[in-house]
Amino acid sequence: MTRKTAVALSGIGLAGLLAIGPLAAHHAFSSEFDAEQPVRLRGKITKMEWINPHAWMHIEVTTDEGATENWMIEAGPPGALVRRGWRKDSVKPGVEVLVEGYRAIDGTNKANGRDVTLPDGTRLFAGSSGTGAPYDDRP
């Protein structure tokens, strides 16, 4: 094998390994969230991360006992959210939302969001399709 061929094959192998990384990072719903633990969380947005492969909402929830809890809500990819009617200014810090979704299987304050209701009553679908989440076939 010539040196040029060996370098080319090494480059192709490295490119293949780099392509696998993002695929391994993407997960099925059931690997992280529990369809048997639905949650309804009302709180104020503290931060919205428009990142791939999933956007994340951070909300501050006041419990019935008056304690404050910080929750991370996984949503679909940013591009899909925008196509479904999401806007960056509809979920800016301070906006109160109602999130319906499913709690993380590890019991932490993390959930997979399904629906988000805005203060004006607009209801937006937050989920990712094809993950195995309940109702993930919604448009």
Side-chain angles (χ1 to χ4, degrees):
M1 178 178 335
T2 68
R3 181 176 170 93
K4 196 175 192 179
T5 303
V7 169
L9 289 174
S10 295
I12 291 169
L14 179 60
L17 287 174
L18 292 174
I20 290 172
L23 293 177
H26 198 94
H27 58 87
F29 171 88
S30 61
S31 70
E32 196 169 350
F33 302 100
D34 186 349
E36 301 298 317
Q37 290 191 54
V39 293
R40 285 178 52 94
L41 304 164
R42 185 175 301 278
K44 290 187 180 183
I45 300 279
T46 57
K47 180 166 104 172
M48 180 70 185
E49 297 178 280
W50 294 91
I51 56 176
N52 281 313
H54 297 280
W56 287 89
M57 280 182 293
H58 299 261
I59 64 171
E60 184 178 88
V61 176
T62 302
T63 67
D64 293 338
E65 294 78 31
T68 300
E69 296 179 342
N70 292 304
W71 282 76
M72 292 177 59
I73 311 298
E74 182 185 71
L81 296 179
V82 170
R83 286 189 298 275
R84 293 178 187 145
W86 289 71
R87 295 186 333 262
K88 286 191 176 188
D89 66 343
S90 62
V91 286
K92 61 185 177 188
V95 172
E96 186 170 307
V97 294
L98 170 64
V99 176
E100 296 171 271
Y102 302 93
R103 190 170 193 153
I105 57 176
D106 65 7
T108 59
N109 290 351
K110 186 165 58 170
N112 180 275
R114 186 188 69 223
D115 293 304
V116 175
T117 304
L118 302 176
D120 68 1
T122 301
R123 193 169 180 180
L124 298 170
F125 181 58
S128 298
S129 62
T131 61
Y135 311 109
D136 74 353
D137 59 346
R138 231 178 117 174

